[in-house]
């Protein structure tokens, strides 16, 4: 037997094991190795074993995958209903890896009609589609508006963009407000489109980021909590930006600069030393941020790394005290510059979060006005519904008489929040395992890569 034939036989055997409807299983399969085929086979074998179409729930990652699986299932079931006896015998033998009995042959003939007549049709949904169905069935328990609409990705992006524009316009109008100050800090550091991308990133990740909680004057302030946490992490919790800028710009006093300039006049002449003297002269005429900017090329390279040598060896030999003074000033400049950068990062992060919260609030207000939910709302609210005491068993029971078998496609793309929904449903399966003789299984297939 050739190597390809051995591999094919092994693959068929593995697919047969994976499609066995009597066992819960997790299957690892790379793209193109027949994951959808295994899901279809497992569903067919569950139906042949006598389980109602309504009792089988398959969760896929995309609408395309859901439609593909449903089409494949219905195509096979339609073929079973019309094929001749010999053909059906052959098809079922290949699927079951044994000869079918009379009951299975009779069942196979009826399955297409049963699937079409099933209440609500075959339960093959995306995770978002399943959550939408849950919330539509239990709006009061889930605390959502009955007959809500669901925003698609384009509608969500447009509504969020409008919320962003409205929030920024309000912040620009109220310059000294809790929104105006963060906006001023952010626009000093980034361009408009980059700012929009940063806000979108925060909103996209808000469920993962969570909300760091700080109670300040009796209110919840996520942005302030994040800013304080970063300042403490960077060791700048007690620092004030204006004071740091002032200290940074005065690592060399006017008198020290004058003394250094005199030394360069007396001992200079080298091109490098002349450049140092020019930086010092410019700094002597400047104040604040401008003075710090004038000193920066003296102490740092173009890559913001400390210069290994500030003056020539000849100058250091002629004026060692001045050379040492410049080195001490460089150490102070580097340390203070890092502190200022850390402080500004923490404050800019807090400013971004403050505006992101305001954008989110405006976005939520607009959704509520239109009785709309986005995809993340579907997951979060379904999570909340299923976390209620005994909710999972009640939900499963009420949906078309209950679910006994769950199949999860593309498990590697299912995020933790989505898995918590699957786990809530599956937990009820096994919590009742000792009280029910019904076979209940969970099956997942995914790609390790």
């Amino acid at each position: 037997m050739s190597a390809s034939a051995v591999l094919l036989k092994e693959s068929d055997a593995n697919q047969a094991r994976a499609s066995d409807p009597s066992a819960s299983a997790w299957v690892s399969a790379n793209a193109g190795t027949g994951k959808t085929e295994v899901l279809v086979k497992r569903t067919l074998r569950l139906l042949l074993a006598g389980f109602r179409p309504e009792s089988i729930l398959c969760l896929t990652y995309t609408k395309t995958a859901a439609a593909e699986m449903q089409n494949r299932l219905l195509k096979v079931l339609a073929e079973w209903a019309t094929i001749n006896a010999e053909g059906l015998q052959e098809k079922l033998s290949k699927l079951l890896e044994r000869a079918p009995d009379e009951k299975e042959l009779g069942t196979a003939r009826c399955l297409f009609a049963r699937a079409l007549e099933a209440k609500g049709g075959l339960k093959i949904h995306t995770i978002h589609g399943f959550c939408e169905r849950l919330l539509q069935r239990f709006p009061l328990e889930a605390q959502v508006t009955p007959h809500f609409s669901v925003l698609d990705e384009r509608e969500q992006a447009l509504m969020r963009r409008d919320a962003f524009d409205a929030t920024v316009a309000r912040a620009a109008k109220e310059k000294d407000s809790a929104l105006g100050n963060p906006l001023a800090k952010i626009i000093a550091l980034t361009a408009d489109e980059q700012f929009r991308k940063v806000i979108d990133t925060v909103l996209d990740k808000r469920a993962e980021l969570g909300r760091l909680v700080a109670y300040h004057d009796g209110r919840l302030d996520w942005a302030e909590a994040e800013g304080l946490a970063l300042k403490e992490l960077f060791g700048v919790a007690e620092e004030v930006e204006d004071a740091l800028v002032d200290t940074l710009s005065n690592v060399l006093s006017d008198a020290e600069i004058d003394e250094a300039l005199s030394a360069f006049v007396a001992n200079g002449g080298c091109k490098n030393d002349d450049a140092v003297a020019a930086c010092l002269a410019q700094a002597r005429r400047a104040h604040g941020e401008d003075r710090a900017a004038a000193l920066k090329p003296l102490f740092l390279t173009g890559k913001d790394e400390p210069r290994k040598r500030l003056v020539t060896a000849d100058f250091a030999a002629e004026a060692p005290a001045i050379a040492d003074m410049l080195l001490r000033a460089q150490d102070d400049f580097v340390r203070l510059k890092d502190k200022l950068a850390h402080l500004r990062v923490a404050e800019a992060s807090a400013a971004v979060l403050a505006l992101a919260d305001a954008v989110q609030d405006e976005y939520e207000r607009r959704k509520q006005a239109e009785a709309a939910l986005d995809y993340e709302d579907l997951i979060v609210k379904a999570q909340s519904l299923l976390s209620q005491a005994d909710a999972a068993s009640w939900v499963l029971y009420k949906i078309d008489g209950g679910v006994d078998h769950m199949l999860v496609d593309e498990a590697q793309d299912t995020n933790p929040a989505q898995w918590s929904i699957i786990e809530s449903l599956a937990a009820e399966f096994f919590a009742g395992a000792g009280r029910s003789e019904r076979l209940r299984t969970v099956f997942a297939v995914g790609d390790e890569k």
Side-chain angles (χ1 to χ4, degrees):
M1 184 179 294
S2 66
S4 59
V6 171
L7 289 175
L8 182 59
K9 184 177 180 181
E10 183 179 346
S11 176
D12 288 343
N14 287 335
Q15 287 196 6
R17 287 174 57 208
S19 63
D20 181 356
S22 65
S24 294
W26 182 292
V27 175
S28 172
N30 298 335
T33 55
K35 286 183 287 186
T36 303
E37 183 70 17
V38 172
L39 288 166
V40 171
K41 284 183 177 180
R42 188 176 177 95
T43 304
L44 290 171
R45 291 182 67 174
L46 285 167
L47 293 171
L48 276 175
F51 293 100
R52 297 174 300 110
E54 299 94 328
S55 72
I56 303 169
L57 170 64
C58 183
L59 299 175
T60 67
Y61 192 65
T62 65
K63 292 180 179 179
T64 301
E68 171 69 13
M69 184 174 174
Q70 177 157 304
N71 289 339
R72 287 200 198 184
L73 273 172
L74 291 176
K75 181 179 179 181
V76 172
L77 296 180
E79 185 180 21
W80 286 359
T82 56
I83 198 171
N84 59 40
E86 293 77 10
L88 180 60
Q89 178 93 19
E90 181 182 347
K91 297 280 185 185
L92 296 186
S93 295
K94 185 176 180 181
L95 175 66
L96 300 172
E97 291 199 321
R98 61 170 174 79
D101 58 30
E102 289 301 318
K103 182 179 179 181
E104 288 167 334
L105 289 168
T107 298
R109 293 291 191 192
C110 303
L111 285 178
F112 183 64
R114 288 182 189 173
L116 294 180
E117 294 170 358
K119 185 178 180 181
L122 294 171
K123 288 182 180 176
I124 304 173
H125 309 292
T126 63
I127 185 69
H128 294 103
F130 175 70
C131 290
E132 179 182 354
R133 196 158 177 255
L134 276 185
L135 300 178
Q136 287 173 338
R137 188 69 181 271
F138 305 98
L140 298 180
E141 293 86 344
Q143 298 181 351
V144 298
T145 304
H147 309 298
F148 61 85
S149 61
V150 178
L151 300 174
D152 61 27
E153 291 180 354
R154 178 179 174 278
E155 292 168 334
Q156 177 183 344
L158 288 174
M159 186 176 287
R160 186 187 282 179
R161 191 175 187 88
D162 289 343
F164 175 92
D165 292 341
T167 302
V168 171
R170 180 157 57 93
K173 185 177 180 181
E174 303 168 2
K175 294 184 178 180
D176 294 324
S177 68
L179 281 182
N181 290 326
L183 178 63
K185 187 174 290 292
I186 293 169
I187 60 177
L189 299 174
T190 184
D192 174 64
E193 281 306 311
Q194 183 63 28
F195 172 33
R196 192 185 294 272
K197 288 179 182 178
V198 170
I199 294 292
D200 282 342
T201 300
V202 172
L203 296 181
D204 286 339
K205 298 292 184 180
R206 71 185 188 276
E208 296 174 35
L209 289 171
R211 290 196 169 230
L212 296 175
V213 180
Y215 288 96
H216 191 69
D217 296 333
R219 63 187 174 82
L220 188 67
D221 194 341
W222 179 40
E224 185 172 352
E226 176 72 359
L228 289 173
L230 285 172
K231 287 180 183 180
E232 290 177 2
L233 176 66
F234 294 144
V236 293
E238 306 301 323
E239 302 293 346
V240 177
E241 182 171 340
D242 289 344
L244 271 178
V245 171
D246 184 63
T247 306
L248 179 68
S249 64
N250 288 290
V251 291
L252 289 171
S253 66
D254 288 348
E256 288 173 325
I257 293 177
D258 289 340
E259 184 181 359
L261 288 172
S262 297
F264 279 111
V265 170
N267 302 288
C270 174
K271 182 178 180 181
N272 182 72
D273 291 335
D274 288 345
V276 173
C279 286
L280 290 171
Q282 184 179 355
R284 182 66 174 82
R285 297 188 297 269
H287 302 279
E289 290 264 22
D290 292 338
R291 183 161 176 153
L295 289 172
K296 181 179 176 182
L298 167 62
F299 296 130
L300 303 177
T301 67
K303 295 182 178 180
D304 275 0
E305 297 173 350
R307 292 191 180 278
K308 294 180 179 179
R309 176 180 290 183
L310 299 181
V311 296
T312 61
D314 289 342
F315 181 89
E318 293 292 334
I322 299 300
D324 288 344
M325 178 184 73
L326 292 177
L327 286 172
R328 288 194 300 271
Q330 182 188 38
D331 289 342
D332 291 341
F333 189 91
V334 171
R335 176 177 54 81
L336 291 166
K337 175 184 170 296
D338 286 345
K339 273 194 171 186
L340 182 60
H342 288 153
L343 180 64
R344 284 175 169 170
V345 164
E347 292 184 343
S349 296
V352 166
L353 295 179
L355 279 166
D357 256 6
V359 171
Q360 181 65 24
D361 289 343
E362 176 65 19
Y363 176 58
E364 294 294 337
R365 187 191 66 76
R366 290 169 182 251
K367 283 192 295 181
Q368 290 175 7
E370 297 188 18
L373 300 178
D374 61 23
Y375 288 153
E376 186 175 334
D377 291 329
L378 296 176
I379 299 297
V380 170
K381 293 185 181 299
Q383 258 187 305
S384 177
L385 171 63
L386 294 174
S387 67
Q388 298 173 24
D390 300 324
S393 57
W394 173 247
V395 167
L396 282 171
Y397 174 74
K398 291 296 289 183
I399 295 178
D400 303 333
V403 172
D404 292 322
H405 303 276
M406 289 177 55
L407 294 80
V408 182
D409 188 18
E410 301 291 357
Q412 78 281 354
D413 290 324
T414 306
N415 66 37
Q418 295 167 354
W419 267 115
S420 71
I421 293 171
I422 296 169
E423 288 168 355
S424 295
L425 298 173
E428 195 277 333
F429 280 21
F430 303 112
R435 299 191 299 270
S436 173
E437 294 185 1
R438 289 185 306 175
L439 176 65
R440 312 183 85 176
T441 64
V442 177
F443 175 85
V445 59
D447 184 348
E448 288 184 6
K449 295 180 181 180

PDB file of all heavy atoms in Angstrom, residues 260-275 277 312 314-315 318-319:
ATOM      1  N   ALA A 260      30.959  77.655  31.188  1.00  0.00           N
ATOM      2  CA  ALA A 260      31.340  76.699  30.134  1.00  0.00           C
ATOM      3  C   ALA A 260      31.675  77.428  28.840  1.00  0.00           C
ATOM      4  O   ALA A 260      32.660  77.090  28.157  1.00  0.00           O
ATOM      5  CB  ALA A 260      30.212  75.698  29.911  1.00  0.00           C
ATOM      6  N   LEU A 261      30.882  78.430  28.481  1.00  0.00           N
ATOM      7  CA  LEU A 261      31.146  79.184  27.254  1.00  0.00           C
ATOM      8  C   LEU A 261      32.494  79.887  27.310  1.00  0.00           C
ATOM      9  O   LEU A 261      33.241  79.921  26.315  1.00  0.00           O
ATOM     10  CB  LEU A 261      30.022  80.199  27.008  1.00  0.00           C
ATOM     11  CG  LEU A 261      28.668  79.608  26.563  1.00  0.00           C
ATOM     12  CD1 LEU A 261      27.596  80.684  26.535  1.00  0.00           C
ATOM     13  CD2 LEU A 261      28.799  78.963  25.180  1.00  0.00           C
ATOM     14  N   SER A 262      32.826  80.423  28.471  1.00  0.00           N
ATOM     15  CA  SER A 262      34.136  81.074  28.628  1.00  0.00           C
ATOM     16  C   SER A 262      35.262  80.073  28.430  1.00  0.00           C
ATOM     17  O   SER A 262      36.293  80.374  27.802  1.00  0.00           O
ATOM     18  CB  SER A 262      34.243  81.713  30.020  1.00  0.00           C
ATOM     19  OG  SER A 262      33.281  82.729  30.176  1.00  0.00           O
ATOM     20  N   ALA A 263      35.070  78.859  28.952  1.00  0.00           N
ATOM     21  CA  ALA A 263      36.091  77.827  28.805  1.00  0.00           C
ATOM     22  C   ALA A 263      36.251  77.431  27.346  1.00  0.00           C
ATOM     23  O   ALA A 263      37.373  77.172  26.873  1.00  0.00           O
ATOM     24  CB  ALA A 263      35.725  76.613  29.653  1.00  0.00           C
ATOM     25  N   PHE A 264      35.152  77.370  26.599  1.00  0.00           N
ATOM     26  CA  PHE A 264      35.234  77.016  25.185  1.00  0.00           C
ATOM     27  C   PHE A 264      35.944  78.107  24.390  1.00  0.00           C
ATOM     28  O   PHE A 264      36.681  77.824  23.441  1.00  0.00           O
ATOM     29  CB  PHE A 264      33.847  76.737  24.610  1.00  0.00           C
ATOM     30  CG  PHE A 264      33.329  75.358  24.919  1.00  0.00           C
ATOM     31  CD1 PHE A 264      32.271  75.165  25.787  1.00  0.00           C
ATOM     32  CD2 PHE A 264      33.919  74.248  24.339  1.00  0.00           C
ATOM     33  CE1 PHE A 264      31.801  73.901  26.075  1.00  0.00           C
ATOM     34  CE2 PHE A 264      33.461  72.966  24.615  1.00  0.00           C
ATOM     35  CZ  PHE A 264      32.398  72.794  25.496  1.00  0.00           C
ATOM     36  N   VAL A 265      35.719  79.359  24.772  1.00  0.00           N
ATOM     37  CA  VAL A 265      36.406  80.463  24.096  1.00  0.00           C
ATOM     38  C   VAL A 265      37.909  80.356  24.332  1.00  0.00           C
ATOM     39  O   VAL A 265      38.730  80.551  23.427  1.00  0.00           O
ATOM     40  CB  VAL A 265      35.875  81.824  24.589  1.00  0.00           C
ATOM     41  CG1 VAL A 265      36.744  82.960  24.067  1.00  0.00           C
ATOM     42  CG2 VAL A 265      34.439  82.017  24.135  1.00  0.00           C
ATOM     43  N   ALA A 266      38.262  79.986  25.596  1.00  0.00           N
ATOM     44  CA  ALA A 266      39.679  79.930  25.947  1.00  0.00           C
ATOM     45  C   ALA A 266      40.369  78.686  25.407  1.00  0.00           C
ATOM     46  O   ALA A 266      41.552  78.718  25.046  1.00  0.00           O
ATOM     47  CB  ALA A 266      39.834  79.989  27.470  1.00  0.00           C
ATOM     48  N   ASN A 267      39.636  77.554  25.348  1.00  0.00           N
ATOM     49  CA  ASN A 267      40.285  76.286  25.024  1.00  0.00           C
ATOM     50  C   ASN A 267      39.716  75.598  23.783  1.00  0.00           C
ATOM     51  O   ASN A 267      40.133  74.485  23.458  1.00  0.00           O
ATOM     52  CB  ASN A 267      40.160  75.318  26.202  1.00  0.00           C
ATOM     53  CG  ASN A 267      40.762  75.874  27.479  1.00  0.00           C
ATOM     54  OD1 ASN A 267      41.978  75.974  27.602  1.00  0.00           O
ATOM     55  ND2 ASN A 267      39.906  76.227  28.439  1.00  0.00           N
ATOM     56  N   GLY A 268      38.712  76.202  23.142  1.00  0.00           N
ATOM     57  CA  GLY A 268      38.056  75.545  22.020  1.00  0.00           C
ATOM     58  C   GLY A 268      38.837  75.636  20.741  1.00  0.00           C
ATOM     59  O   GLY A 268      40.044  75.832  20.729  1.00  0.00           O
ATOM     60  N   GLY A 269      38.113  75.551  19.650  1.00  0.00           N
ATOM     61  CA  GLY A 269      38.751  75.598  18.351  1.00  0.00           C
ATOM     62  C   GLY A 269      38.438  74.378  17.520  1.00  0.00           C
ATOM     63  O   GLY A 269      38.401  74.442  16.295  1.00  0.00           O
ATOM     64  N   CYS A 270      38.175  73.260  18.171  1.00  0.00           N
ATOM     65  CA  CYS A 270      37.794  72.037  17.464  1.00  0.00           C
ATOM     66  C   CYS A 270      36.341  72.168  17.009  1.00  0.00           C
ATOM     67  O   CYS A 270      35.507  72.782  17.683  1.00  0.00           O
ATOM     68  CB  CYS A 270      37.980  70.839  18.379  1.00  0.00           C
ATOM     69  SG  CYS A 270      37.370  69.290  17.668  1.00  0.00           S
ATOM     70  N   LYS A 271      36.040  71.579  15.854  1.00  0.00           N
ATOM     71  CA  LYS A 271      34.681  71.653  15.299  1.00  0.00           C
ATOM     72  C   LYS A 271      33.650  71.095  16.276  1.00  0.00           C
ATOM     73  O   LYS A 271      32.580  71.683  16.463  1.00  0.00           O
ATOM     74  CB  LYS A 271      34.629  70.892  13.974  1.00  0.00           C
ATOM     75  CG  LYS A 271      33.279  70.951  13.283  1.00  0.00           C
ATOM     76  CD  LYS A 271      33.316  70.221  11.957  1.00  0.00           C
ATOM     77  CE  LYS A 271      31.957  70.274  11.273  1.00  0.00           C
ATOM     78  NZ  LYS A 271      31.966  69.544   9.966  1.00  0.00           N
ATOM     79  N   ASN A 272      33.959  69.959  16.914  1.00  0.00           N
ATOM     80  CA  ASN A 272      33.027  69.349  17.857  1.00  0.00           C
ATOM     81  C   ASN A 272      32.788  70.257  19.054  1.00  0.00           C
ATOM     82  O   ASN A 272      31.651  70.439  19.492  1.00  0.00           O
ATOM     83  CB  ASN A 272      33.562  67.991  18.326  1.00  0.00           C
ATOM     84  CG  ASN A 272      32.595  67.284  19.268  1.00  0.00           C
ATOM     85  OD1 ASN A 272      31.563  66.796  18.849  1.00  0.00           O
ATOM     86  ND2 ASN A 272      32.929  67.257  20.557  1.00  0.00           N
ATOM     87  N   ASP A 273      33.846  70.832  19.577  1.00  0.00           N
ATOM     88  CA  ASP A 273      33.690  71.722  20.728  1.00  0.00           C
ATOM     89  C   ASP A 273      32.925  72.986  20.354  1.00  0.00           C
ATOM     90  O   ASP A 273      32.156  73.525  21.157  1.00  0.00           O
ATOM     91  CB  ASP A 273      35.072  72.079  21.291  1.00  0.00           C
ATOM     92  CG  ASP A 273      35.758  70.875  21.945  1.00  0.00           C
ATOM     93  OD1 ASP A 273      35.027  69.962  22.376  1.00  0.00           O
ATOM     94  OD2 ASP A 273      37.000  70.856  22.006  1.00  0.00           O
ATOM     95  N   ASP A 274      33.118  73.451  19.124  1.00  0.00           N
ATOM     96  CA  ASP A 274      32.373  74.632  18.663  1.00  0.00           C
ATOM     97  C   ASP A 274      30.869  74.329  18.606  1.00  0.00           C
ATOM     98  O   ASP A 274      30.034  75.188  18.916  1.00  0.00           O
ATOM     99  CB  ASP A 274      32.860  75.061  17.277  1.00  0.00           C
ATOM    100  CG  ASP A 274      34.251  75.690  17.322  1.00  0.00           C
ATOM    101  OD1 ASP A 274      34.700  76.047  18.446  1.00  0.00           O
ATOM    102  OD2 ASP A 274      34.883  75.809  16.257  1.00  0.00           O
ATOM    103  N   ALA A 275      30.511  73.093  18.200  1.00  0.00           N
ATOM    104  CA  ALA A 275      29.104  72.700  18.131  1.00  0.00           C
ATOM    105  C   ALA A 275      28.499  72.660  19.531  1.00  0.00           C
ATOM    106  O   ALA A 275      27.346  73.072  19.742  1.00  0.00           O
ATOM    107  CB  ALA A 275      28.958  71.337  17.460  1.00  0.00           C
ATOM    108  N   ALA A 277      29.511  74.424  22.095  1.00  0.00           N
ATOM    109  CA  ALA A 277      29.393  75.815  22.521  1.00  0.00           C
ATOM    110  C   ALA A 277      28.165  76.485  21.898  1.00  0.00           C
ATOM    111  O   ALA A 277      27.465  77.275  22.544  1.00  0.00           O
ATOM    112  CB  ALA A 277      30.660  76.576  22.142  1.00  0.00           C
ATOM    113  N   THR A 312      35.828  67.088  23.316  1.00  0.00           N
ATOM    114  CA  THR A 312      37.032  66.391  22.873  1.00  0.00           C
ATOM    115  C   THR A 312      37.951  66.095  24.043  1.00  0.00           C
ATOM    116  O   THR A 312      37.848  66.711  25.114  1.00  0.00           O
ATOM    117  CB  THR A 312      37.790  67.243  21.844  1.00  0.00           C
ATOM    118  OG1 THR A 312      38.183  68.480  22.475  1.00  0.00           O
ATOM    119  CG2 THR A 312      36.933  67.521  20.623  1.00  0.00           C
ATOM    120  N   ASP A 314      41.077  66.813  24.216  1.00  0.00           N
ATOM    121  CA  ASP A 314      41.924  67.981  24.481  1.00  0.00           C
ATOM    122  C   ASP A 314      41.214  68.973  25.400  1.00  0.00           C
ATOM    123  O   ASP A 314      41.813  69.506  26.339  1.00  0.00           O
ATOM    124  CB  ASP A 314      42.305  68.663  23.164  1.00  0.00           C
ATOM    125  CG  ASP A 314      43.292  67.830  22.351  1.00  0.00           C
ATOM    126  OD1 ASP A 314      43.932  66.931  22.945  1.00  0.00           O
ATOM    127  OD2 ASP A 314      43.405  68.076  21.141  1.00  0.00           O
ATOM    128  N   PHE A 315      39.902  69.215  25.121  1.00  0.00           N
ATOM    129  CA  PHE A 315      39.166  70.147  25.971  1.00  0.00           C
ATOM    130  C   PHE A 315      39.034  69.595  27.390  1.00  0.00           C
ATOM    131  O   PHE A 315      39.189  70.336  28.370  1.00  0.00           O
ATOM    132  CB  PHE A 315      37.779  70.414  25.381  1.00  0.00           C
ATOM    133  CG  PHE A 315      36.969  71.391  26.194  1.00  0.00           C
ATOM    134  CD1 PHE A 315      37.056  72.754  25.958  1.00  0.00           C
ATOM    135  CD2 PHE A 315      36.124  70.954  27.221  1.00  0.00           C
ATOM    136  CE1 PHE A 315      36.320  73.660  26.713  1.00  0.00           C
ATOM    137  CE2 PHE A 315      35.389  71.844  27.977  1.00  0.00           C
ATOM    138  CZ  PHE A 315      35.480  73.206  27.721  1.00  0.00           C
ATOM    139  N   GLU A 318      42.157  70.211  29.253  1.00  0.00           N
ATOM    140  CA  GLU A 318      42.380  71.621  29.585  1.00  0.00           C
ATOM    141  C   GLU A 318      41.379  72.143  30.609  1.00  0.00           C
ATOM    142  O   GLU A 318      41.718  73.006  31.430  1.00  0.00           O
ATOM    143  CB  GLU A 318      42.287  72.472  28.306  1.00  0.00           C
ATOM    144  CG  GLU A 318      43.385  72.221  27.296  1.00  0.00           C
ATOM    145  CD  GLU A 318      44.752  72.683  27.798  1.00  0.00           C
ATOM    146  OE1 GLU A 318      44.795  73.599  28.640  1.00  0.00           O
ATOM    147  OE2 GLU A 318      45.764  72.105  27.355  1.00  0.00           O
ATOM    148  N   ALA A 319      40.113  71.646  30.547  1.00  0.00           N
ATOM    149  CA  ALA A 319      39.068  72.145  31.465  1.00  0.00           C
ATOM    150  C   ALA A 319      38.296  70.970  32.057  1.00  0.00           C
ATOM    151  O   ALA A 319      37.110  70.764  31.755  1.00  0.00           O
ATOM    152  CB  ALA A 319      38.132  73.097  30.731  1.00  0.00           C
TER     153      ALA A 319
END
